[in-house]
Amino acid sequence: MAILDDKTAQSQRTRIGRRLEDIAIHILNQFLNSHDIYAVKGERNPLVKFLKSEVLADCLIEYNKLPVKNSCRQKQIDEYPDTDILILYHLDGDWKILGVINCKVSFHSREVMVTFWGLTVRISTNIKYVCLTQDADQYRKKRSELGKSCDESTSARRLLESFTDGIYIIKNYASTDDPELKADIERFKGFFDQLDDLELVRMKSTTYFDDPNYEHHTAYCQKVRPFDDLIFDILRWKLESS
């Protein structure tokens, strides 16, 4: 296998990461838009395009920023957290941030950055901060970066469980046009559409968008869940914020 130079490797990681973001947004919007909840990339241009307002996009970005100290200049500056996807709720003509999704195809020690922002966001606002991952090493290296279970966990899992609102695992779909993804969306839709509002906010633990039976998949626990649960949890966030 050819060894990639740093620039090429980083470009490839960025492309794969954006694919994960696109897939997550595609699935979430299929089921949440009818509840006035929207998943949008957490960058200015996609927000402006979605909201059709530079002013409104800038307001949401500013609200999501956090103060950090610059010791050299003795100044406080505002830093935008690692925000791959924003979960927005449209209420009485206003847009509110329900949560932030940090997407990681794999961690490779980058869980520290996720947990830093997770802790900082959670102690300063009521915004939920969660991590979405394919846990790609279970396919490439035949082991999960989260360990086998809570009892046989890795440092990454313990940190993520402690300092984020949840870790959600999703299958390794090729794209938003992946036939398997289309089939999973249709299967989940058949189940989702049968639920009433009360059942929607109580529902947990379907696995249409993850495969816990894969040989090297980690075991679920209270904080490590299938992607399906994120859909139901976001509906609960809306209920809690109302």
Side-chain angles (χ1 to χ4, degrees), residues 135-169:
D135 194 13
D137 276 11
Q138 65 177 310
Y139 308 107
R140 297 187 300 222
K141 298 184 179 180
K142 309 304 180 186
R143 61 174 175 79
S144 168
E145 285 191 89
L146 300 173
K148 291 184 178 180
S149 64
C150 276
D151 292 331
E152 298 181 64
S153 61
T154 60
S155 173
R157 182 181 186 132
R158 293 190 292 273
L159 288 170
L160 289 164
E161 286 184 357
S162 296
F163 299 114
T164 70
D165 288 293
I167 307 100
Y168 300 87
I169 305 176

Side-chain angles (χ1 to χ4, degrees), residues 124-139:
S124 60
T125 72
N126 61 351
I127 295 173
K128 303 291 186 181
Y129 196 95
V130 302
C131 179
L132 172 65
T133 182
Q134 289 177 349
D135 194 13
D137 276 11
Q138 65 177 310
Y139 308 107

Side-chain angles (χ1 to χ4, degrees), residues 163-217:
F163 299 114
T164 70
D165 288 293
I167 307 100
Y168 300 87
I169 305 176
I170 190 171
K171 290 179 185 175
N172 184 16
Y173 296 110
S175 71
T176 55
D177 293 322
D178 188 328
E180 183 179 8
L181 174 57
K182 291 182 178 181
D184 289 343
I185 287 174
E186 286 304 310
R187 291 193 304 126
F188 184 81
K189 186 176 186 298
F191 167 76
F192 186 85
D193 288 349
Q194 296 179 37
L195 303 175
D196 61 30
D197 288 346
L198 184 59
E199 290 173 322
L200 283 173
V201 297
R202 288 181 174 176
M203 185 56 59
K204 265 189 180 292
S205 298
T206 64
T207 52
Y208 293 94
F209 299 111
D210 189 28
D211 183 10
N213 296 317
Y214 183 73
E215 180 181 3
H216 303 288
H217 193 288

Side-chain angles (χ1 to χ4, degrees), residues 43-44 47-48 51 53-66 78 80-81 86 88 94-97 125 127:
E43 300 168 355
R44 187 177 187 273
L47 279 170
V48 170
L51 297 168
S53 168
E54 292 187 356
V55 172
L56 188 51
D58 289 339
C59 284
L60 289 177
I61 289 172
E62 285 300 315
Y63 177 72
N64 200 35
K65 286 182 177 180
L66 297 168
D78 292 329
Y80 192 52
L86 278 176
L88 303 179
D94 292 327
W95 288 97
K96 299 183 181 297
I97 302 174
T125 72
I127 295 173

